[in-house]
């Protein structure tokens, strides 16, 4: 799967907030026939059949109209990655974020156009009131909101959540989104005032976050919170959303059931949601074809034709907020010989030049992706376009750059510098067929220029917990799923946010770029901010903490004979976790 970018779940790379992407078009609505706008429960219609040779009349239920919402039923979703924890403070991966999105209400939600909104299922009662100087946000929450144990959800929960993420001792990956807060004040049980130290342009999206229950966690020492049973033990995980976390059989399945204490004015139609965990994507695709599951958030593009051969299965493939990358680690202790080979800028540029990125798009993604040269998605307002360096595939130029940086061929043909062989492990998550193929291409491309790469697939949940989050890896092949519509990526690239208080797991440092991230936050004028991000894109494409590979789309598959939604509630590929957009209004007819 992918990492989630930032803190509050809804940007498919981190614990709490994130950013965007492209693919080829499939059926953008997995069930175009479902156009009803009635989201209220509807009874099943009945038909009366009268026989001709008796005086008795029998009544039999008619087949439910798939365009009319019905209550009850189960939606079973396939995945090949298990969760780590559904505690929203610590989510750093999309698998955990998928579940958290369903079991918790957000303070605010985001609509299809990335606008902050108040939905019937949002905790907030109205949009935030922002002061004239842009440094004060007053938030009013609904007095009806409550936790699934029946306790009221109040301003205390808002204060506890944000203050915990803000506390460096908590080790929350989304700290960069809240450390600009000066004070958080409880005005009354339903009113909270946030005062910022500075103008922080992305702050509105920081408010599109989940909360944790103060009455459950307030007495847990903050340094012990990440290891608490909350988020991993369903019996101890109190939540606020339409479904509750009821069972987790690691490596097999996760079960969510409708929350009987759900407070929202709109109730979920689905009585149960089950995530089945498969060993790999190919096994998951077979489960779709056999009907064992009704949905997958992502299948390999190579399997689309096989899926489309089944009339009941529809594919949704459109631009989304994901990009894939190779990340370098600059911390010596993460290498067997205590030497990071990636510290030379020309070395990193050589690796980018040695990789056939267009070949990956053409042959692995089957043309459904776009090359990336910076951390800003192509076509977005922050995209630097031609100002960013595009590294065209050129093995001979890569060899020359490596030589300029002091690498020479050893007896076995592998490059050596200062007594260190240029050999490293490239980690990715096992079961991801796309990354398996891309890792093999990277291995061969770099072998051609004298660099030895050992690809290693690791169980996703284990990998995130033990390698990615603490920044303990040589190099990784991974992607960011950007759950925050704002392009600010300070938590990923700034040296202020090394693990555990941030997401700069490669231990990258560039003070000039650090300063630019701050500059981009200090104005709300989008034109001025765009100029700053264009400069960041230009500089980061030269310095290369990552090799940015491509923006891609995730082919979502839905059994449209069993899972239904109204047109306004269909999945939204452009948003982080958008494959579950408005899932509270979906229904099953089986």
């Amino acid at each position: 799967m992918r990492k989630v970018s930032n803190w509050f779940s809804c940007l498919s790379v981190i614990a709490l907030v994130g950013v965007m992407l492209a693919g080829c078009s499939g059926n953008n609505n997995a069930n175009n026939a479902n156009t009803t706008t009635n989201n209220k429960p509807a009874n099943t219609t009945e038909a009366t059949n009268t026989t001709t040779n008796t005086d008795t009349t029998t009544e039999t239920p008619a087949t439910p109209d798939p365009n009319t919402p019905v209550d009850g039923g189960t939606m079973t979703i396939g995945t090949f990655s298990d969760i780590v924890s559904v505690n929203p403070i610590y989510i750093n991966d999309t698998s955990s974020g998928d579940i958290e999105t369903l079991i918790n209400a957000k303070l605010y939600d985001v609509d299809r156009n990335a606008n902050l909104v108040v939905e019937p299922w949002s905790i907030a009662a109205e949009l935030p009131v922002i002061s004239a100087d842009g440094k004060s946000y007053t938030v009013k929450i609904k007095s009806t909101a409550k936790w699934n144990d029946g306790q009221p959800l109040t301003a205390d929960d808002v204060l506890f959540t944000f203050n915990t993420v803000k506390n460096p001792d908590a080790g929350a990956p989304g700290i960069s989104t809240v450390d600009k807060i000066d004070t958080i004040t409880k005005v009354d049980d339903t009113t909270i005032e946030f005062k910022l130290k500075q103008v922080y342009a992305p702050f509105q999206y920081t408010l599109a976050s989940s909360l944790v229950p103060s009455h459950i966690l307030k007495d847990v020492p903050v340094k012990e919170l990440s290891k608490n049973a909350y988020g991993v033990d369903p019996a101890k995980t109190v939540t606020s959303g339409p479904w509750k976390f009821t069972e987790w059989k690691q490596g097999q399945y996760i079960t969510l059931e409708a929350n009987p204490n759900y407070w929202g004015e709109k109730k979920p139609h689905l009585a149960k949601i089950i995530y089945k965990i498969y060993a790999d994507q190919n096994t998951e695709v077979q489960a779709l074809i056999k009907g064992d599951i009704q949905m997958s958030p992502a299948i390999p593009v190579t399997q689309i034709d096989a899926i489309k051969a089944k009339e009941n299965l529809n594919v949704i493939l459109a631009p989304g907020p994901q990009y894939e990358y190779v990340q370098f680690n600059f911390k010596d202790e993460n290498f067997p010989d205590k030497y990071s080979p990636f510290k030379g800028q020309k070395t990193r540029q050589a690796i980018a030049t040695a990789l056939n990125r267009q070949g990956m798009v053409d042959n692995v993604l089957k043309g459904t992706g776009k090359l990336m040269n910076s951390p800003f998605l192509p076509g977005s307002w922050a995209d630097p376009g031609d100002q960013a360096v595009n590294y065209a595939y050129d093995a001979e130029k890569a060899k020359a750059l490596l030589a300029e940086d002091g690498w020479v061929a050893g007896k076995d043909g592998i490059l050596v510098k200062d007594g260190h062989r240029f050999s490293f492990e490239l980690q990715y998550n096992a079961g991801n067929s796309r990354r398996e193929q891309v890792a093999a291409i990277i291995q061969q491309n770099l072998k051609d220029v004298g660099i030895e790469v050992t690809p290693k697939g690791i169980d996703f949940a284990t990998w995130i917990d033990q390698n990615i989050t603490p920044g303990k890896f040589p190099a990784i092949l991974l992607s960011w799923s950007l759950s925050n519509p704002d392009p600010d990526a300070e938590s990923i690239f700034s040296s202020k946010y090394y693990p555990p208080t941030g997401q700069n797991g490669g231990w990258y440092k560039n003070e000039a770029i650090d300063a630019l991230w701050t500059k981009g936050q200090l104005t709300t004028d989008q034109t001025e901010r765009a100029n700053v991000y264009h400069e960041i894109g230009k500089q980061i494409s030269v310095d290369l903490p990552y090799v940015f590979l491509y923006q891609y789309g995730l082919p979502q598959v839905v059994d449209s004979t069993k899972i239904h939604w109204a047109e306004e509630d269909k999945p939204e590929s452009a948003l982080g976790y958008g494959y579950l957009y408005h899932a509270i209004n979906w229904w099953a007819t089986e």
Side-chain angles (χ1 to χ4, degrees), residues 104-109 117-126 139-147 153-155 157-158 161 189-190 192 207 209-212 239-241 262-264:
N104 274 316
K106 301 286 186 292
L107 189 56
Y108 290 95
D109 284 275
V117 293
V118 173
E119 298 282 13
W121 46 86
S122 304
I123 295 168
E126 58 189 41
V139 172
K140 187 80 173 177
I141 64 174
K142 294 168 182 169
S143 60
T144 53
K146 61 183 178 180
W147 299 99
L153 191 159
T154 71
D157 300 303
V158 180
T161 302
D189 280 348
T190 59
I192 308 95
L207 297 173
S209 63
S210 299
L211 305 175
V212 295
T239 56
S240 59
Y262 182 56
W263 52 272

Side-chain angles (χ1 to χ4, degrees), residues 74-266:
T74 298
M75 177 169 68
T76 305
I77 302 173
T79 179
F80 61 96
S81 300
D82 207 344
I83 65 174
V84 179
S85 169
V86 296
N87 182 337
I89 290 175
Y90 293 104
I91 289 175
N92 199 26
D93 65 281
T94 53
S95 294
S96 300
D98 289 340
I99 303 300
E100 194 278 326
T101 292
L102 296 168
I103 62 177
N104 274 316
K106 301 286 186 292
L107 189 56
Y108 290 95
D109 284 275
V110 177
D111 69 13
R112 275 183 210 284
N113 298 314
N115 299 307
L116 201 71
V117 293
V118 173
E119 298 282 13
W121 46 86
S122 304
I123 295 168
E126 58 189 41
L127 288 173
V129 176
I130 306 172
S131 63
D133 65 2
K135 295 182 182 180
S136 177
Y137 290 69
T138 301
V139 172
K140 187 80 173 177
I141 64 174
K142 294 168 182 169
S143 60
T144 53
K146 61 183 178 180
W147 299 99
N148 70 350
D149 62 358
Q151 292 296 308
L153 191 159
T154 71
D156 292 329
D157 300 303
V158 180
L159 266 66
F160 176 80
T161 302
F162 281 83
N163 280 328
T164 299
V165 177
K166 187 170 177 266
N167 187 340
D169 288 339
I175 190 172
S176 70
T177 66
V178 297
D179 61 0
K180 285 79 175 173
I181 298 173
D182 186 16
T183 61
I184 311 173
T185 303
K186 174 184 173 180
V187 179
D188 56 45
D189 280 348
T190 59
T191 310
I192 308 95
E193 183 181 55
F194 296 85
K195 287 190 175 180
L196 307 184
K197 301 173 186 176
Q198 61 184 57
V199 172
Y200 178 53
F203 188 69
Q204 62 167 326
Y205 294 115
T206 299
L207 297 173
S209 63
S210 299
L211 305 175
V212 295
S214 173
H215 70 283
I216 297 294
L217 299 175
K218 64 182 179 180
D219 295 326
V220 178
V222 68
K223 290 185 177 180
E224 299 175 15
L225 191 58
S226 66
K227 301 301 181 184
N228 190 265
Y230 183 89
V232 294
D233 183 347
K236 297 180 179 179
T237 305
V238 174
T239 56
S240 59
W243 296 275
K244 61 180 182 176
F245 185 29
T246 56
E247 189 176 10
W248 178 20
K249 188 72 171 178
Q250 290 190 7
Q252 297 182 42
Y253 61 86
I254 298 159
T255 303
L256 313 179
E257 295 181 8
N259 174 10
N261 284 326
Y262 182 56
W263 52 272
E265 59 188 75
K266 284 191 175 182

Side-chain angles (χ1 to χ4, degrees), residues 235-499:
K236 297 180 179 179
T237 305
V238 174
T239 56
S240 59
W243 296 275
K244 61 180 182 176
F245 185 29
T246 56
E247 189 176 10
W248 178 20
K249 188 72 171 178
Q250 290 190 7
Q252 297 182 42
Y253 61 86
I254 298 159
T255 303
L256 313 179
E257 295 181 8
N259 174 10
N261 284 326
Y262 182 56
W263 52 272
E265 59 188 75
K266 284 191 175 182
K267 311 299 182 186
H269 295 305
L270 294 166
K272 185 180 290 187
I273 300 175
I274 299 172
Y275 277 78
K276 287 188 176 181
I277 303 164
Y278 294 91
D280 54 56
Q281 286 181 297
N282 292 327
T283 307
E284 184 184 343
V285 168
Q286 290 306 307
L288 276 167
I289 292 172
K290 290 190 294 183
D292 293 340
I293 57 177
Q294 292 89 50
M295 181 184 292
S296 170
I299 65 164
V301 292
T302 54
Q303 299 276 16
I304 289 177
D305 289 343
I307 288 293
K308 286 183 175 180
K310 298 284 290 183
E311 291 185 0
N312 61 309
L313 298 179
N314 286 333
V315 178
I316 304 169
L317 180 56
Q322 296 84 223
Y323 70 84
E324 202 123 71
Y325 59 86
V326 174
Q327 182 176 9
F328 305 119
N329 202 307
F330 297 93
K331 196 170 187 178
D332 289 335
E333 68 183 52
N334 289 306
F335 297 83
D337 58 355
K338 308 301 179 186
Y339 176 83
S340 171
F342 303 122
K343 292 181 180 178
Q345 186 184 85
K346 287 185 178 180
T347 293
R348 301 191 297 275
Q349 293 173 346
I351 291 174
T353 305
L355 297 184
N356 187 356
R357 299 183 301 144
Q358 188 61 53
M360 296 172 191
V361 170
D362 294 342
N363 300 315
V364 178
L365 300 184
K366 304 301 179 184
T368 64
K370 291 183 178 181
L371 291 183
M372 289 275 292
N373 296 313
S374 79
F376 307 114
L377 296 178
S380 68
W381 61 266
D383 176 21
D386 293 340
Q387 294 181 50
V389 179
N390 176 48
Y391 293 90
Y393 174 49
D394 188 335
E396 294 306 313
K397 183 177 180 180
K399 290 177 183 179
L401 286 167
L402 288 164
E404 290 176 25
D405 216 18
W407 293 96
V408 296
K411 293 180 180 179
D412 60 357
I414 301 302
L415 297 174
V416 178
K417 182 178 180 181
D418 299 329
H420 300 279
R421 293 178 76 249
F422 206 154
S423 176
F424 65 91
E425 180 180 88
L426 178 65
Q427 299 177 358
Y428 63 94
N429 56 307
N432 187 312
S433 62
R434 180 184 69 254
R435 292 197 184 121
E436 288 173 356
Q437 295 176 71
V438 171
I441 293 171
I442 292 171
Q443 181 183 36
Q444 184 59 57
N445 285 167
L446 295 188
K447 181 181 179 181
D448 292 343
V449 298
I451 301 172
E452 182 179 67
V453 178
T454 304
K456 183 178 181 180
I458 305 174
D459 170 72
F460 186 70
T462 301
W463 186 41
I464 293 293
D465 187 46
Q466 298 182 11
N467 301 92
I468 303 303
T469 299
K472 295 180 179 179
F473 55 84
I476 57 173
L477 173 60
L478 192 52
S479 70
W480 283 114
S481 180
L482 305 172
S483 54
N484 186 334
D486 194 275
D488 179 63
E490 182 185 34
S491 182
I492 300 172
F493 295 104
S494 173
S495 60
K496 293 189 290 184
Y497 298 109
Y498 293 141

